[in-house]
Each structure stands twice: as C-alpha cells, then as structure tokens.
Amino acid sequence: MPELLRVLVVEDDPVAAEAHRTYVDRLPGFTCVGIAGTAARALQVLSHGQIDLVLLDMNLPDGHGLDVVRRMRAAGNQTDVVAVTSAREVSAVQAAARIGVVQYVLKPFAFETLRDRLSAYARQRRAAESGQVVADQDEVDRLLHPATVSSVPKGLAGSVLDRVVQLLGNREGWTAEEVATSLGTSRITARRYLEHLADQGQALRTQRYDGRSGRPKVEYSWVSES
C-alpha cells in the first residue's frame, strides 16, 4: 500500500482546526500529523520536514498565509500547499497561484469539496512520482487546471451544496423554507441538502419556536467551520 500523505493543518481557530483534522483523517491516503495555530509554529514544524502537504489558512494572528509560503520557499522548502480560507479577494487567489499554492478552497465548505480537491491533488502527485509523461496539450491543460470529479452523493448537485453551505456560514439558524426561498428551489429540495449536511455532522438541527400555535420548525446551523 502507498504511504499516507502527511498533512499539517495551519488554522488559528480551534474548532475549524479540529474539523479540518477530522476531514483529513477521513480521506483515504491522508493523515493529519499536526495542527499549528500561528505562522511561527507552522514554520517551526515545517523546518523539521516530514510534511507532504499543508492546509493553510490565509489569516493568521501573526502573519498572512502567503508570507508563510514565501518564507517556506526562501528556506528551500517545497512542500505543497492548499489554501483553506475565507479570503475571497481575486488578488489573494492570483498571488497564491503565483507562489505555487496547488488548490484554493473557500470556507465554509462541505466535506465533499475538500475530498474532491485533495483526491485530485493525490492523483496528480502519484502521476508525477511514477514518472508519467503527458500525451498531448489537452493533458497538459488538465494538469495545470485540474477538474475535480464530484463525489457529492447521488441526487445532490455540488454547486447547490456549496451554495447551501455558504448560506449556513453567513448566519445562524436557517429553516428549509428560508433556504429554499434564498436558492429559488423547493422546500423539499432544500431540506435534502440540509439533512445531508446534518447527517455529515456539519450542520446542527435545533427547534425554532416562534411563540405562535403550531409545530416548531427545524432549523439548521453550521457547526464545522468558522
């Protein structure tokens, strides 16, 4: 069996850091070997080697994630980096690409999103290590701009799931009706996505009482990311 890819999670929020650790350890072929809450601690861990991939937040208490990558490279450390961040500025995405960040994942996200990105990364890494050569320009383009194959459960669309995750990350407490209205879908469709996230442990189900007669409504809140 191939060796597990050793991952360092760099994230200052303890809840998010533990969520990322859990996600990584659920992925075949990957293992989380540590968590660093600051840029300084990340660089210290990386100086000892033995890390294959860094999941890196951009906004750290003692520096920017891109500065961590620049200092890594200046020290001769070529460990691959996946940005896992809420930083949405186009300039940040472009700067990350210029210094060799291999994937850019926006928070909050569903587990499937990270699974797809890291699976694509692992396939590309295995191809490189095996000495595989490209056959044509199309294959070069696929390597430079890898398209991930969605592993979202049957009947759900990855793009819609990401939109539901974004909604839950923007505020606490959404009912299926509210999500349906925001997305322009049916209540039944919205509930399927919400229930999937709840079953995955990424959304919390609670009861909403409005003080009027009738049954309470189920509302969903995001619990895995911050």
Side-chain angles (χ1 to χ4, degrees):
M1 293 182 62
E3 289 188 8
L4 294 175
L5 293 175
R6 295 156 298 192
V7 179
L8 173 67
V9 171
V10 182
E11 167 64 61
D12 66 304
D13 182 87
V15 175
E18 282 301 323
H20 297 167
R21 180 206 292 272
T22 300
Y23 289 178
V24 169
D25 286 340
R26 287 172 62 185
L27 289 168
F30 293 85
T31 182
C32 179
V33 296
I35 292 175
T38 64
R41 177 58 180 162
L43 290 167
Q44 181 183 34
V45 174
L46 287 163
S47 70
H48 300 306
Q50 305 303 310
I51 302 295
D52 298 303
L53 180 67
V54 182
L55 293 191
L56 179 64
D57 188 22
M58 291 292 103
N59 299 309
L60 298 168
D62 59 340
H64 197 278
L66 293 181
D67 290 331
V68 173
V69 182
R70 293 186 184 100
R71 292 174 66 182
M72 287 170 58
R73 301 301 185 239
N77 188 323
Q78 298 302 313
T79 301
D80 289 329
V81 176
V82 170
V84 180
T85 178
S86 57
R88 296 170 178 271
E89 298 84 2
V90 172
S91 59
V93 178
Q94 292 177 329
R98 283 196 295 269
I99 60 176
V101 172
V102 298
Q103 294 274 3
Y104 199 100
V105 181
L106 287 174
K107 295 194 290 187
F109 54 85
F111 166 69
E112 290 86 354
T113 299
L114 185 64
R115 177 172 62 188
D116 292 346
R117 300 308 187 274
L118 293 193
S119 295
Y121 163 77
R123 288 193 299 271
Q124 199 174 90
R125 183 182 177 112
R126 286 195 299 269
E129 291 176 347
S130 68
Q132 182 177 322
V133 299
V134 295
D136 51 32
Q137 183 64 48
D138 287 342
E139 192 165 350
V140 171
D141 293 340
R142 285 195 296 272
L143 286 171
L144 293 177
H145 308 285
T148 57
V149 178
S150 176
S151 53
V152 173
K154 185 177 180 180
L156 302 183
S159 59
V160 177
L161 184 61
D162 285 343
R163 289 171 65 195
V164 173
V165 168
Q166 290 296 326
L167 288 177
L168 294 185
N170 286 337
R171 79 158 204 241
E172 283 194 33
W174 289 80
T175 66
E177 291 84 356
E178 290 167 344
V179 170
T181 298
S182 182
L183 296 182
T185 65
S186 71
R187 179 182 59 81
I188 294 174
T189 296
R191 186 178 298 279
R192 289 174 61 201
Y193 286 89
L194 291 165
E195 284 295 311
H196 168 70
L197 292 171
D199 290 342
Q200 291 289 310
Q202 295 184 265
L204 176 67
R205 302 180 187 93
T206 55
Q207 300 290 318
R208 179 190 293 181
Y209 297 90
D210 59 12
R212 298 191 295 268
S213 60
R215 298 175 60 184
K217 295 182 178 181
V218 177
E219 68 176 20
Y220 304 80
S221 299
W222 188 248
V223 297
S224 294
E225 293 292 331
S226 64

